[in-house]
Amino acid sequence: MKPSLNIPHTSNHGDSQTMPEGLQVFETQNTRNPSEIVFNDDDLAKIEEFKRRYPNQEAAVMPTLWLAQEKFGWLSQESIELVADTLNMPHADVFGVASFYTMYFKKPKGKLHVAVCTNISCQLCGGYEIYNFIRQTFGLENGEVTGDGKLSLEEAECLGSCGTAPVAQINNGDYMENLTLEKFKAFLKDKGIL
Amino acid sequence: MQTGFETYKPMILNGTPDLHQIEVYEAEGGYEDLKKALQIPRSELVESVKKSGLRGRGGAGFSTGMKWSFIGKDKPRYLIVNGDESEPGSFKDRQIFEFNPHLLIEGCLITAYALEIKTCYIYIRGEYAKWIRIVEDALADSRKKGLVGKTLPGSDFSVEIYVHKGAGAYICGEESALMNSIEGKRAYPRLKPPFPAVVGLWGKPTIINNVETITNIPLIVRLGAENYAKIGAPDHPGPMLYGLSGHINKPGIYELPSGMLISDLIYKIGGGIPDGKKLKAVIPGGSSMPILRADMIDGVTMNAESLKKAGTSIGTAGMIIMDEDTDIVEAVARLTHFYHHESCGQCTPCREGTGWIEMIYQKFLRDEAEPRDIDLLLSICKQMEMRTICALADGAAWPVRFSIERFREEYEKHCKKPESPGWNYKMRAVSGV
Ligand SMILES: Cc1cc2nc3c(=O)[nH]c(=O)nc-3n(C[C@H](O)[C@H](O)[C@H](O)COP(=O)(O)O)c2cc1C
Ligand code: SF4
Ligand code: FES
């Protein structure tokens, strides 16, 4: 049977929005309670260790952004400013770095963030069946979160696992490989989402 | 050339259980090549890598020894191992991280010693969280054994190795973008020259090699340059990690000598195409490489010379296989989305071209395209190729150009029928095609 290759007719790129004039706009939202956005002594010790890896402390920005994201769940305007202040960098520079990469979340994601690879090898092996199933079942498009905040969807680019296509990555961590619709539905049921 | 692959014994992915553990690795003779290398004068090591004929496995296939010999005099110098691995169809470096991380570390140590480098960064894409953990554990073990970060046995030299975690951007695989990424800047590729070997990380001489390239270094020390050069195809020697994905019965990474017949890889190694279907097309080395029609692969082997004659290139040796029912336009359309998403936006031809190409493909998918759109695509490609700071633009144009050249009838099938309303009869040559 030929897997469906139904590419949704959109050029939505997920973490950015294209305005009618063709401009790409990155949204960064504010945290509800900014007073929670602080690094404790443990974090600061880790950041000192990051800095020691490089001759120039600016280079610690990526590991520090990772630390902030793992701690706060996503990178709000406040978290980005906190990283900048900790590393003595201009806010705009850190924002520039954070906005460059798709894995730094500039908006809150769902509790379960599913990135489904639909790039060529996964496409050939049915990646769009999984991706379109989520779109249709939950009414989500690339980069969106369900109203209850439980699930968010991303159309991932090649995850470097083409030999076990189709593949999805959960919460920037584990891979689900050799996916089938059945396997994926069972997983969502297990998580109480389906 | 391809004979004897049946008896070839893998050296990188040799299947030893738990080889990622340092005790197992050492019991298998691990880190012996390092000890051997430390007794060899540095210039001789560089010379033997040159003589081995090893070519970079990251995509461009440049001679590794040659690259090393270009390194600038300035110090400190840096070594970067490129494990960004984001080219669709490539998933080989991941197997090295998972199954043989110590061979990679050993390769880093030998390379760093040979080039008098004291700091090495292994750049691993952020998605590989699991594999980053494996490599970091291996580094910690190697540190405990007095190797990484310590004075190396029988020398007065020490090498520090760090993992730098990416965060999801294909362009970071481009060597100069990767350097900006490590430096904590937006990962924009830099203008070349100057080349990284002279002006690299923080302006210092930097050697950047792919993960697979570096894991070949201990093998060259072990076998000697002459014996290494005898493995596989003479113009592109050594073990090679071939990837098979897409419509194939046994997808995966296979370590075999270079210069394997494409047809052997598909039918003998990969077990053929599911449901006994016929082959329609192969992309031999990651999505940026020119696509081959099934009737173009006769006698073509996976090494630079043979692939060049066939009108394509080896790239990362990650082969994407498509069966007879594949819609080439749909498959390439997905790639155009990828390149548009990943363009860093510095160069106008790339930023605008990838966007326009994606939009035109959407027209094909809606069956709203007209025959002149095919020529329009070719004209956009022409304006992108060889005109930009990095090779992403070429990589974005090639799947389009070559799939049109080699599968034009598929594009025509997607065009509007002449009788349908709004069909444009004015087929005119678009300037520059
Ligand atoms: C857009 C783009 C993406 C690239 N991605 C990778 C990659 O993911 N991994 C890699 O090793 N090389 C990649 N390269 C090639 C590198 O620029 C560089 O040539 C390579 O790392 C050199 O190593 P080698 O000589 O060992 O092949 C990429 C190049 C371009 C233009
Ligand atoms: S070719 Fe594209 S990706 Fe490369 S530097 Fe130019 S805009 Fe960026
Ligand atoms: S194409 Fe999906 S993992 Fe490579």
Side-chain angles (χ1 to χ4, degrees), chain B residues 103-153:
Chain B
L103 187 62
L104 172 64
I105 296 171
E106 190 169 359
C108 294
L109 293 173
I110 298 175
T111 308
Y113 164 75
L115 300 168
E116 281 188 87
I117 293 172
K118 290 183 144 304
T119 316
C120 164
Y121 296 101
I122 305 180
Y123 191 104
I124 307 182
R125 63 181 299 188
E127 288 86 348
Y128 281 1
K130 173 179 157 192
W131 295 276
I132 289 174
R133 240 174 287 133
I134 298 175
V135 174
E136 281 185 332
D137 289 349
L139 280 172
D141 290 344
S142 176
R143 196 180 299 271
K144 270 188 229 139
K145 294 266 177 186
L147 297 165
V148 173
K150 304 282 155 59
T151 309
L152 292 171

Side-chain angles (χ1 to χ4, degrees), chain B residues 56-58 67 82 84-86 170 173-175 209-210 213 391:
Chain B
R57 303 284 199 250
K67 187 190 279 189
N82 189 343
D84 191 54
E85 188 157 72
S86 314
Y170 167 63
E174 200 282 333
E175 51 192 18
N209 276 124
N210 173 258
T213 313

Side-chain angles (χ1 to χ4, degrees), chain A:
Chain A
M1 196 198 69
K2 188 184 167 202
S4 88
L5 304 185
N6 313 328
I7 302 179
H9 298 305
T10 145
S11 46
N12 180 355
H13 281 173
D15 59 345
S16 59
Q17 288 185 328
T18 306
M19 304 298 279
E21 317 83 74
L23 280 178
Q24 275 200 355
V25 179
F26 291 93
E27 280 178 52
T28 301
Q29 297 179 359
N30 294 326
T31 315
R32 255 180 243 110
N33 187 355
S35 64
E36 289 167 9
I37 305 296
V38 280
F39 284 137
N40 61 25
D41 288 347
D42 280 356
D43 303 329
L44 292 173
K46 277 190 203 149
I47 294 168
E48 282 308 311
E49 194 272 316
F50 297 153
K51 286 194 212 164
R52 280 198 293 275
R53 297 181 192 174
Y54 311 95
N56 182 335
Q57 69 168 11
E58 214 178 275
V61 66
M62 286 187 71
T64 310
L65 281 169
W66 272 118
L67 181 78
Q69 172 152 311
E70 272 149 28
K71 189 172 165 105
F72 309 123
W74 57 287
L75 295 173
S76 60
Q77 187 74 39
E78 290 86 355
S79 331
I80 290 175
E81 288 171 8
L82 174 70
V83 170
D85 294 341
T86 312
L87 297 173
N88 271 324
M89 286 172 71
H91 293 180
D93 284 5
V94 178
F95 182 71
V97 173
S99 63
F100 196 87
Y101 300 92
T102 49
M103 293 183 83
Y104 290 139
F105 297 152
K106 277 74 65 182
K107 292 183 263 185
K109 297 283 165 177
K111 240 182 124 213
L112 192 74
H113 179 64
V114 183
V116 185
C117 176
T118 59
N119 210 311
I120 187 156
S121 301
C122 288
Q123 175 194 30
L124 295 171
C125 299
Y128 273 110
E129 271 174 42
I130 317 267
Y131 182 70
N132 286 338
F133 167 77
I134 307 179
R135 283 176 65 231
Q136 281 148 16
T137 315
F138 300 95
L140 290 179
E141 287 302 335
N142 190 11
E144 291 180 353
V145 192
T146 50
D148 59 7
K150 280 191 181 152
L151 181 72
S152 52
L153 175 65
E154 185 189 323
E155 181 172 14
E157 296 304 344
C158 176
L159 290 169
S161 192
C162 326
T164 49
V167 182
Q169 183 171 32
I170 308 301
N171 293 345
N172 273 354
D174 289 338
Y175 281 18
M176 296 180 75
E177 302 176 34
N178 293 313
L179 267 180
T180 57
L181 207 47
E182 286 64 47
K183 234 168 137 176
F184 191 71
K185 281 184 188 165
F187 168 75
L188 288 184
K189 280 204 186 102
D190 189 49
K191 294 277 168 194
I193 293 178
L194 196 70

